[in-house]
Amino acid sequence: MKYIFVTGGVISSLGKGITAAALGTLLERRGVKISLQKLDPYLNVDPGTMNPYQHGEVYVLEDGAETDLDLGHYERFTNVKLSKLNNTTTGQIYEAVIQQERQGKYLGKTVQVIPHVTNEIKNRIMRVAESSGCDILITEIGGTTGDIEGLPFLEAIRQMALEVGSDHALFVHITYVPYIKAAGELKTKPTQQSVAKLREIGIQPHVLVCRSDHPLTEEVRAKLSLYCNVSIEGVIEELDVQHTIYEVPLMLQKEKLDALVCKYLKLDLPEADLTDWKAFVEKIMHPSHQLSIAVVGKYIGHQDAYKSIYEALTHAGAFLSCGVEVKKVDAEEIEEKGAETLLQGSDGILVPGGFGSRGIEGKIEAAKYARLHHIPYFGLCLGMQTAIIEFSRNVVGLTDAHSTEFESMTSNPVICLLEEQKKLSSLGGSMRLGSSLCKLLPNTKAYEAYRRDTSRERHRHRYEFNMAYKPLLEKFGLKISGTTENGELVELIELENHPWFVGCQFHPEFQSRPNCPHPLFVAFLKASLEHRKKTHS
């Protein structure tokens, strides 16, 4: 069993998750079984209740775990299927330690960071290694070296490296080498100080992955090697990518990072075959068509709030040899300026999920605009619910139709909590989370997209379509095209007499992969291409 520990220094947002995932791509393509893990130093038990403006999107795994968005990168870049074990937070660690103390499992000892907290962290790492049956576990430590909350995690991985031996543990430190325009040169001092911080607690990086917007000169590489006590071949250049994050594995392979990892861990493995990966990147870089897709959300100001959606559009676009320009539209702005002003010229409209009433009327207006102008519409989770509300109000004539999430006293609750959910007091307890079977109905656009009878899809929502309104809405042209296995809950809806208007209660973006795009995203972009051809002919 081999362990790779990925840390970051100098500044946050360096792309540790993408780098760890890209390294996973390279090692997996060399024929070894890998797994990836994220250790997050924040005190929240999980990011499920965190504002996307604070933390970006919440990525949901098959088992329903609400996790850090980096786990999305791990699953997209590799073939691993992750579980709740693969994301650990300080909150989880301290919760477990305190529970054990209350149960008397420490036999009256004084409970301390070392050894009790660090032992719990090491147990979490070992549990992933054992349960996944992997050959190599890549563990990313969140935050920045020097943060006080990250110290127990760094101490734990230092201990682990000592325990498993030097041939079985590797430290990769991702750092930033800034270019100072006034001086006309790259500066290594921030990296030197970051590595010094690591060495203070006993961690000597084997590899430096240097993020920069300028190429590293031989002089800079030599300087980093000397002052950071890293071999010259261990100084890896990682430039800002020109087109897409999927260039990163190709860049790191060119820098021979995977070969170096194999050398340090004494692994004799064949070269990584990235033929299909290169072809995928080529399609992104040189598309045959272009599309403009409006994404109407309430967290548009944060570039990572809808990360998986943007990536799913990229995957489907590459599959169709189509470049996708994402037009980010704030739902609240639609309420102020009108849908026509902000959505005119869009080839397709996508409304993602979300919680809370802010921007809801803007999302409803986006659905109305797509319906009236016959523009392809794709509603995800809340985006399906807002489409149902709009249809109920403006087609069926239920003018006060709403969701009880936003208007608890509405006389037409087309979206509501199920009776059994109303008995639950905890927000998390009333959520439908994780993967479940969706039964697809024939002679629908959804069935045409999937070309099969069922699909397993991931969920993260609380409110459901009110089945009492099913006969009335169907009478006016709303078609239910997917349900849960027992037929009691609605999973997919679409509109008759519209080129492509589909809403799903689940989150298909979490299952899209570079060379295996989700069928609904592909169908949506196909319809958008058709719409563009008609409007531009």
Side-chain angles (χ1 to χ4, degrees):
M1 182 67 212
K2 309 286 186 179
Y3 299 90
I4 299 172
F5 299 108
V6 178
T7 58
V10 182
I11 56 174
S12 60
S13 301
L14 282 177
K16 294 193 303 296
I18 292 172
T19 303
L23 177 56
T25 304
L26 295 174
L27 293 173
E28 194 174 65
R29 296 302 180 99
R30 280 177 172 261
V32 292
K33 185 176 181 182
I34 63 142
S35 191
L36 296 105
Q37 177 186 37
K38 177 78 182 285
L39 304 180
D40 275 311
Y42 49 72
L43 281 166
N44 304 65
V45 173
D46 62 44
T49 55
M50 291 170 74
N51 190 317
Y53 274 124
Q54 285 273 310
H55 194 257
E57 79 171 1
V58 174
Y59 186 81
V60 179
L61 303 178
E62 281 203 351
D63 64 359
E66 297 175 287
T67 68
D68 184 83
L69 63 84
D70 278 329
L71 275 78
H73 293 310
Y74 302 164
E75 286 201 335
R76 282 188 287 271
F77 276 70
T78 68
N79 293 312
V80 296
K81 287 283 186 185
L82 305 176
S83 74
K84 63 182 179 181
L85 297 177
N86 296 79
N87 192 191
T88 294
T89 69
T90 296
Q92 292 172 23
I93 296 295
Y94 278 92
E95 184 179 51
V97 168
I98 290 167
Q99 283 176 356
Q100 289 174 71
E101 185 274 331
R102 291 290 82 191
Q103 292 164 6
K105 292 187 177 179
Y106 297 125
L107 304 176
K109 292 179 182 176
T110 301
V111 180
Q112 297 175 291
V113 173
I114 303 172
H116 303 101
V117 170
T118 51
N119 281 351
E120 182 64 27
I121 294 169
K122 288 188 289 182
N123 288 342
R124 300 293 178 109
I125 296 170
M126 296 296 290
R127 204 175 302 162
V128 172
E130 290 165 8
S131 65
S132 67
C134 63
D135 303 308
I136 301 175
L137 175 62
I138 302 171
T139 300
E140 175 196 349
I141 290 78
T144 307
T145 299
D147 293 345
I148 191 167
E149 58 265 35
L151 289 174
F153 291 97
L154 295 178
E155 171 59 23
I157 63 173
R158 181 198 68 79
Q159 292 177 20
M160 270 209 73
L162 186 66
E163 290 164 14
V164 302
S166 58
D167 290 348
H168 300 278
L170 182 78
F171 291 106
V172 176
H173 190 56
I174 301 169
T175 180
Y176 181 58
V177 181
Y179 178 80
I180 307 301
K181 193 174 180 181
E185 61 182 8
L186 292 163
K187 290 295 183 182
T188 64
K189 189 65 73 178
T191 298
Q192 293 177 42
Q193 292 177 337
S194 181
V195 171
K197 277 277 183 193
L198 278 178
R199 292 170 71 184
E200 276 177 16
I201 60 170
I203 294 175
Q204 169 62 57
H206 300 88
V207 178
L208 291 179
V209 177
C210 302
R211 294 278 288 107
S212 183
D213 54 7
H214 280 65
L216 302 184
T217 63
E218 289 304 315
E219 182 185 358
V220 166
R221 289 180 189 254
K223 194 172 182 181
L224 286 167
S225 171
L226 177 64
Y227 285 97
C228 298
N229 197 34
V230 173
S231 68
I232 192 80
E233 63 180 351
V235 179
I236 303 294
E237 176 185 273
E238 189 176 45
L239 296 171
D240 294 346
V241 292
Q242 300 247 320
H243 302 91
T244 171
I245 57 172
Y246 301 107
E247 295 174 66
V248 176
L250 305 177
M251 183 192 306
L252 295 180
Q253 186 185 47
K254 188 178 177 183
E255 284 285 300
K256 301 180 180 177
L257 173 60
D258 53 326
L260 185 63
V261 167
C262 291
K263 175 183 170 183
Y264 276 123
L265 295 178
K266 295 185 167 47
L267 297 168
D268 185 15
L269 300 171
E271 286 291 318
D273 182 3
L274 295 177
T275 306
D276 61 332
W277 197 274
K278 289 175 184 174
F280 168 71
V281 171
E282 277 295 313
K283 287 178 183 176
I284 296 174
M285 292 167 63
H286 304 106
S288 303
H289 316 282
Q290 284 292 335
L291 280 176
S292 175
I293 301 296
V295 175
V296 181
K298 56 189 288 185
Y299 311 114
I300 288 297
H302 194 299
Q303 66 176 14
D304 286 336
Y306 302 113
K307 186 66 177 172
S308 291
I309 290 171
Y310 301 149
E311 296 308 315
L313 288 169
T314 297
H315 304 158
F319 181 80
L320 298 170
S321 192
C322 174
V324 180
E325 178 205 356
V326 174
K327 189 197 304 183
K328 299 177 182 179
V329 180
D330 191 316
E332 287 184 288
E333 277 196 53
I334 292 180
E335 295 173 0
E336 296 166 13
K337 300 175 182 176
E340 180 78 28
T341 306
L342 295 167
L343 299 178
Q344 190 177 26
S346 301
D347 301 314
I349 296 170
L350 187 153
V351 177
F355 296 90
S357 61
R358 185 173 58 82
I360 286 303
E361 292 302 324
K363 291 189 172 190
I364 291 169
E365 282 300 307
K368 180 180 179 181
Y369 185 83
R371 178 178 60 81
L372 292 176
H373 292 82
H374 287 81
I375 299 170
Y377 176 89
F378 193 14
L380 312 181
C381 197
L382 182 59
M384 181 191 93
Q385 297 179 1
T386 51
I388 291 170
I389 294 167
E390 189 282 320
F391 186 85
S392 302
R393 287 180 184 178
N394 300 312
V395 177
V396 181
L398 307 175
T399 54
D400 69 337
H402 221 313
S403 166
T404 55
E405 180 182 1
F406 315 120
E407 184 51 71
S408 59
M409 302 306 291
T410 178
S411 57
N412 284 296
V414 291
I415 307 295
C416 64
L417 280 177
L418 301 178
E419 284 304 314
E420 56 266 31
Q421 290 174 300
K422 293 177 184 176
K423 300 169 189 172
L424 300 168
S425 58
S426 131
L427 285 179
S430 60
M431 290 271 273
R432 186 145 71 102
L433 284 165
S435 179
S436 61
L437 196 73
C438 170
K439 186 169 65 176
L440 301 159
L441 305 183
N443 304 314
T444 61
K445 290 184 173 64
Y447 192 93
E448 187 182 315
Y450 282 97
R451 297 183 182 179
R452 57 180 186 265
D453 296 326
T454 60
S455 177
R456 293 201 69 84
E457 300 289 352
R458 300 184 191 184
H459 298 74
R460 183 180 182 248
H461 67 277
R462 186 170 291 110
Y463 291 78
E464 305 281 355
F465 172 67
N466 187 342
M467 290 294 268
Y469 288 87
K470 178 177 179 283
L472 179 61
L473 269 60
E474 285 183 329
K475 181 181 173 183
F476 281 84
L478 183 138
K479 185 183 285 188
I480 291 171
S481 50
T483 67
T484 49
E485 196 172 7
N486 60 12
E488 292 180 1
L489 300 176
V490 170
E491 294 280 41
L492 282 153
I493 63 103
E494 53 193 66
L495 297 187
E496 296 174 350
N497 305 316
H498 190 286
W500 205 89
F501 192 109
V502 174
C504 57
Q505 188 56 78
F506 47 83
H507 288 270
E509 68 272 24
F510 294 146
Q511 302 211 91
S512 183
R513 301 291 178 264
N515 280 308
C516 187
H518 193 283
L520 287 178
F521 276 91
V522 173
F524 171 56
L525 292 191
K526 272 185 182 175
S528 300
L529 276 170
E530 285 301 314
H531 176 76
R532 184 177 179 85
K533 285 175 188 174
K534 286 177 185 175
T535 54
H536 287 73
S537 59

